[in-house]
Structures are given as structure tokens and as C-alpha cells.
Amino acid sequence: MGFALDIERSVSGQPWRWRRSGTEPGLAPDALIDELLLARGVERADLARHRVPTIRDFLPDPSVFQDMDKGAKRLADALEAGESIAIFGDYDVDGATSAAVLVLLLRRLGADPMTYIPDRLMEGYGPSGKALVELKQRGASLAITVDCGAQAFEALDEAKTAGLDVIVVDHHQCASQLPVAFAMINPNRLDESELGASHGHLAAVGMAFLLGVALLRELRGRGRFVGDRLEPRIMDLLDLVALGTVADVARLKTLNRAFVTQGLKIMAGRQNIGLSALAEAARLVKPPSARDLGFALGPRINAGGRVGKSDLGVRLLTATDPEEARTIAAELDRLNEERRAIEMLVSEQATDQAQGQADAPVILVMSSGWHQGVIGIVAGRLKERFGRPAIVIAETEDGTGKGSGRSISGVDLGAAVLAAKDSGLLIAGGGHAMAAGLTLPAGGLEPLRAFLRERLATDIETARGGRALLLDALVAPGGVAATLCDALDAAGPYGAGWPAPRVAAGPVRLIKTGIVGEGHVRGLACGEDGKSFKWIAFRSAATELGQALLASPGDTKWWLAGTIKRDEWNGGNAAEMHLEDAARA
């Protein structure tokens, strides 16, 4: 494939390429939308259902998943017999929303399930035998683990010995041997059906929703919903499914994209008391967007598990009292500010360590002073900065370490961590392609580094070798307007696996260029058509891109590349470019 606009090396040192074939300025909105969908892997014959993704068009029969029917029947039996049910969730957003979906659905079916969210620091990830036995002692005869359990061999053995049935609802990668559970519902089981495995990109909350669909179908078949016993509207819970899907950085294709599209509509109606309170705490006045889920609501729920009480998120999302919801939301907002301060300190120290690993295929850093609650976020920042997988490990008092990693597209970090565990290099570990968690034995850092270098170096070299700025469309300077934003937004929502459209505009001259805020570079771009638009390059003042823009003579002509956003300040049809790169025209 040739270079877009003949740009082989931009100011940022990368080539520009068309994501598909590139579109000419002035393309009609409907045609532009189709081009964006095609560029994201949609087949032309399948365009119709992708233009407005609905649950009806993308929801599979839940029975395609291994153990789904078995789990739904056991849960239906428990409801009909009045058994005590417990929901065991993870402490992140996916875990909290998964637990909340099942709690709210079971409440509407007349049950009052107990919940258990482990403390991140004291108990760690996933179910422990002690916690499951405790639930049994509290009266539970059935427990459902959500967003965890795929690797909980010992804990599930203890649960079985104690006489507790456990349904595991997870999406993390599985080993060839599965833990003993009444039902193991996970699209990433190695023995999953082809159709089931095609949904391996679902977050745990998506799988919890599918269990809910299967449960209602089972109860419907038993004649439960007759007379005044109405069937609950499970679609009302899609706001939670959307939040968990986006916050867990699940790929927004097919069913996930439908979940988020329809879930945002539910969320706009503010039916969930807790989400409404959280939106107020986050100072969101407009209906939330997918970006708001990932950057405003998700981090606040995560803050409870990271630096506060792990159950705050699920308590908020299942709250029935508006005043209690506002109190919890305010506490999560405060904890999020605390998390930011801790994260900034750890990030600075981790970046200093990583500077000496510029040539390593995997960034691997470790320190005894780091808070376990923020290492995943810091790993994500290192991945973005250095363009390669990164693992950040917080060393504990006994010399072991708790680690969290984030990967780049094309490199399966979860499988590598699982392989390291199977090779005896880790006490525990697992995850999925883009993220993983691990427990490192004392003195185990260098053996792990060598293992990951050997296993992943070729994949990382291949992934980084294909590095380029991918463009979707070319627009004239006068085309940077809110009407273009509307057309681009129609092919969303955007996120992981469904990247926001990136456009090129030019040739333009730069005027009124300067630094604003915390190192942002802003200016005005003037085209040969006499039209102009505003642009801003965030946190770029100290970068090669920012320096080039600031030093540009007024008569130099440029191609600018970035995303187009509405100019919320000026309103109307105004829009601006969020600049990512530039090249001389």
C-alpha cells in the first residue's frame, strides 16, 4: 500500500497510510459512513445492520455458549426454590457492572442476592476458598462469580467440598484444564463452539447479560410469567452493559457496539439511580458519550476498588435511595482525585525506570513503593509512551510482586502471562490479549523478563514494524465543521477495536500558534480556499510535533491530521481538529 498524500515520514517520524482507500473531500454523509464501516472490517453485504447496530440484529442464542443452559437452569431452580444466591464480583468496572446486572435482575425476579467484592490489597483478584466458604456459611447454596474464576482452581475446589454450587461467568483466557465448577460460562474456553468463541471479545458484563437472557427464557418456558407476574425488562440494564464494556476496553465490534449504542440511549434517560448520581458528581450535563463512560464514569467507579472500599461501585449501581446514591457518588469522586495524585507519582517513577529499557521488547518495571491500585493505569501510560507492551509490578513486603500489564494491538499479553505461569515463573497470572495481571515470586523479575523477551519479541517487532498513522478521509479546510462531526459520529460509537476516524486537512498555513493550558499547542489553520479552522495538539509543547508547529514560518504549507470535534465553546456549526500529527505539504 502506498503512502497517504505521499507522506513517508511526518514530523512525528511515521508514514501516513489510508485505513482503507481514502475518501475525497465533499463525499456525501451516507457514503462517508459506509466508507468508515468498510474500513473497520464490515463486509459490504452486511452494511445495513452495522449502520444502526441493534441488540436484535447481533444478539446470539445464549445456548451457543458452553454451560450457558446448565447455568441458567440451575439459577432458575434456585429462584423457584427460594435458595439464597450470592454474587461474587471483581473490584473493577466490569466486575461491578456484571454484579449489578445480575443483582438488579434477580431482585426484579423476587430474590435478594448477597454480594461479595474482594478487597484489592488484602484479598487480591478473584475468588478465594475462604470467601466462598464464608458465603456458604452465610446461607448461600449458589454463588455466581463474575469477571473472575477462570483460573480459580483451589478456590472452586474448596467451594465444592463445602457444598456450594458455583457458576463462573468470565471472559479471561482459560487453560486447557478448567477449574471444577457447576457451570463455566466463558467465550474464551478452549473447547468453546466456533460461534461462541467468535464472541471472545465480550466483556464479563456482556456475558452476565447473556446469562440473564438465558435465565428469562428458561423461566418463560416454565410458565413463570403469567397473570400479574410480568417479565422484567432486561433491556433496561443495557446502560450497565455499555459502561462495563467501554471501561474494560473491550473491542467495540458487532454485539459490543450494539450494547454500547443502545446502552447509551438507556443511560440518557437516567433510569439507574446510581449512574444518575455519578453523572452529577462527574459534572456531566449532556447525555453521556462512549468517551464519557471511559474517562468520566468508569474511573470514578474504579477508584473505589483502587484506593477505597471495593464494594462502593456495586453498591452505587444497585442503590435504590437517591440520597444514598449521591453520598456514594461523592465519595467515589473524592477517591478518584486521590487516585489521580497517587497515579501521577507512580507514573513519574515508572517512566524514569522505563527510560533505560527503550530497546526492550516489553517494558517491565518494579518498585516496593507503588500502590497496587494504580499500576494498571500506569502500565497503560507506559504502553502509549513507548509503543510496546508494559508491565508494572508493585513489590510487597515479602519480596513478591503484584503486577498489571497492558499490550499493543497484535501482541497477546494474556496468553504470554498464562504461559509464564504454566512454566513456573509466576505464582498466579492470566488475562486477555490487551491486559493481564500476575503475581511474581521473590527474585522472579529477570527470569520473567527473559521469558517475555523470548516469547514476544517477534510479535512485537511485527506489530511495531507496521506502525503508521492511519487516515480515513481527506477534507478541505472549509469542510472542518460540525456537519462533518455528525457524519463521522454516525459510524460510532468508537473505542477499542473501532477507532475514531482520523482525517487529513490541507494544505494550510498556520497562524496564531501558541501554548495554552498545561503544555497544549493551539492555533489557526488557513487553507487555499480562504477557509480556516482551529486546531489543538494536547500535551505537545515539549514534543517534536509541538516544537515544529510553534516554529513554523507563516508561509509554510502543512497537512494536518487528527480527529474532528465540535467546538463546544462557540457552538453552532463550528468544529476544531484535535491534532495528532503534521507533515509539510
Side-chain angles (χ1 to χ4, degrees), residues 19-33:
R19 199 181 305 276
R20 184 168 177 267
S21 57
T23 63
E24 292 299 318
L27 196 66
D30 288 348
L32 176 59
I33 293 166

Side-chain angles (χ1 to χ4, degrees), residues 10 37 39 55 60 77 79 87 117 147 153 161 183 239 254 353 389 418 442 481 502 527 531 536-537 539 545 554:
S10 68
L37 295 175
I55 304 300
D77 289 343
L79 283 168
I87 310 295
I117 309 294
D147 198 28
F153 291 90
T161 300
D239 50 1
T254 58
Q353 267 197 48
L418 198 56
R502 187 183 290 119
K531 303 292 180 62
I536 183 167
R539 294 177 294 278
L545 173 63

Side-chain angles (χ1 to χ4, degrees), residues 4 7 80 107 114 224 277 287 318 335-336 379 396 419 447 533:
I7 295 168
E80 293 194 331
R107 281 182 186 171
M114 61 182 86
R224 181 181 178 94
T318 59
L335 288 170
N336 191 49
T396 58
F533 62 89

